[in-house]
Amino acid sequence: MKADLHVHSHYSDGSSSVEEVMEMASKRGITHLSLVDHDTVAGLEAAQIEGAKHGITIVPGIEISAYDFTRNRKVHILGYWFDKEAAHIQELCQSLLKRRHENSLWQIEQLQKNDYTIQLEDVAKKAMMSGVIYKQHIMHSLLDHHFTTPLYQELYRMLFKGNGICARDIEYVDAVDAVKAIKADNGFAVLAHPGQLDSYDIIPELVRHGLDGIEREHMDHTREDRRKVDQYADEYGLFRTGGSDFHGDYGTQIRIGDLVSPTELLESVLSK
């Protein structure tokens, strides 16, 4: 069993199609994969169809962009193996996607006002599969360089960070509400990459509302982060997950399967 439970596609802020994702996963010997596109389950059906062609078991998944309003920091919540309809999840995420898209339109307007050569039609074409414009689509319309290149990183920081002309974020959903929505849809709720976002402090609160797991294997996690994850997992009885957090050309140069998930969740579900 070789599982990558953290993969993104062009249904959100990844550059690769579902077909490309499954072909790459197959070549890397992946047996179980979860497409956890941000705030959407739009790619799930396509993933299941393409996964079946390659003999890959698809774990229904999503990554919800949430927030800890007590400590004022972002918190990402992964959901797995929820009901096919995902009614509560989709209801929660619908307004989130709308706010993201509207904010992206505002960012494009700021770029145009400041004489950047960018056309809404071009950005929308790049975001065609997601139906929602992300910062990655805007950046792709501004330059053709990879996410990891110095030019890309410099322009991104200048525009979207600090006092940049596009540095306006959206209002995210409450992390507790994200966990509740996943549980209401009979899924498993997992805290994503707590080391990346320094979201350890909210774990006890999320556990009270049904948190099932915590992501251990992630490219931004240090040895100390993995130790802390193990500590919290043991203390609260949480299972551990992990994956590559693959975004294709819109992310770090990591391959699907470079980081694989512990099998606790899979063994628990598949043994039933």
Side-chain angles (χ1 to χ4, degrees):
M1 187 182 296
K2 185 178 181 181
D4 190 333
L5 299 184
H6 198 144
V7 176
H8 297 274
S9 77
H10 64 184
Y11 281 98
S12 67
D13 60 344
S15 66
S16 303
S17 67
V18 170
E19 293 82 1
E20 291 167 336
V21 164
M22 296 307 158
E23 186 173 343
M24 286 184 274
S26 178
K27 290 179 179 178
R28 298 283 289 157
I30 296 297
T31 61
H32 296 74
L33 183 142
S34 188
L35 203 66
V36 291
D37 281 318
H38 283 282
D39 313 314
T40 181
V41 294
L44 178 54
E45 184 175 353
Q48 291 173 329
I49 292 171
E50 290 301 317
K53 293 178 183 178
H54 294 278
I56 298 172
T57 298
I58 300 303
V59 178
I62 191 170
E63 183 171 10
I64 300 178
S65 308
Y67 204 79
D68 178 354
F69 289 95
T70 300
R71 300 166 188 85
N72 294 315
R73 64 187 62 171
K74 293 180 181 178
V75 178
H76 287 186
I77 304 295
L78 294 159
Y80 295 112
W81 256 309
F82 39 77
D83 294 338
K84 182 178 180 180
E85 295 77 14
H88 298 86
I89 292 171
Q90 293 202 75
E91 182 180 2
L92 181 72
C93 291
Q94 186 175 10
S95 59
L96 184 55
L97 291 171
K98 184 174 184 289
R99 289 195 294 272
R100 186 187 299 280
H101 187 72
E102 289 174 348
N103 192 55
S104 294
L105 294 178
W106 175 86
Q107 289 169 329
I108 293 169
E109 288 178 2
Q110 305 317 300
L111 290 168
Q112 292 171 335
K113 289 177 181 178
N114 285 272
D115 299 323
Y116 282 87
T117 303
I118 186 169
Q119 300 297 324
L120 175 58
E121 293 78 10
D122 179 59
V123 185
K125 185 177 180 180
K126 290 175 170 55
M128 179 170 56
M129 293 306 298
S130 66
V132 174
I133 296 173
Y134 291 75
K135 291 193 291 282
Q136 289 82 352
H137 301 129
I138 296 174
M139 286 294 298
H140 191 185
S141 293
L142 291 172
L143 78 170
D144 246 346
H145 292 251
H146 191 275
F147 172 87
T148 57
T149 61
L151 183 59
Y152 185 109
Q153 290 296 315
E154 181 182 354
L155 182 61
Y156 181 83
R157 285 192 297 269
M158 183 179 72
L159 293 177
F160 293 97
K161 299 296 183 181
N163 295 319
I165 58 174
C166 296
R168 188 181 79 171
D169 212 344
I170 65 172
E171 179 183 342
Y172 296 100
V173 299
D174 191 291
V176 169
D177 290 338
V179 170
K180 287 181 176 179
I182 293 165
K183 300 305 294 179
D185 287 329
N186 299 307
F188 295 91
V190 176
L191 177 64
H193 43 66
Q196 182 195 72
L197 298 177
D198 190 20
S199 51
Y200 292 105
D201 291 346
I202 198 176
I203 290 175
E205 182 180 358
L206 296 181
V207 168
R208 290 196 295 272
H209 292 280
L211 186 73
D212 299 290
I214 182 169
E215 190 171 47
R216 184 183 193 272
E217 304 305 323
H218 188 272
M219 58 186 169
D220 289 335
H221 276 187
T222 64
R223 180 180 298 178
E224 174 62 15
D225 285 316
R226 291 192 292 274
R227 185 197 67 77
K228 290 179 73 171
V229 168
D230 287 338
Q231 180 181 334
Y232 277 103
D234 291 341
E235 180 177 357
Y236 292 103
L238 304 172
F239 56 72
R240 303 157 179 85
T241 68
S244 60
D245 202 354
F246 176 80
H247 284 77
D249 290 339
Y250 291 166
T252 302
Q253 288 181 323
I254 189 170
R255 298 176 298 175
I256 294 173
D258 276 355
L259 287 173
V260 295
S261 177
T263 57
E264 298 166 16
L265 168 62
L266 299 172
E267 291 171 351
S268 173
V269 173
L270 296 176
S271 64
K272 293 181 180 180

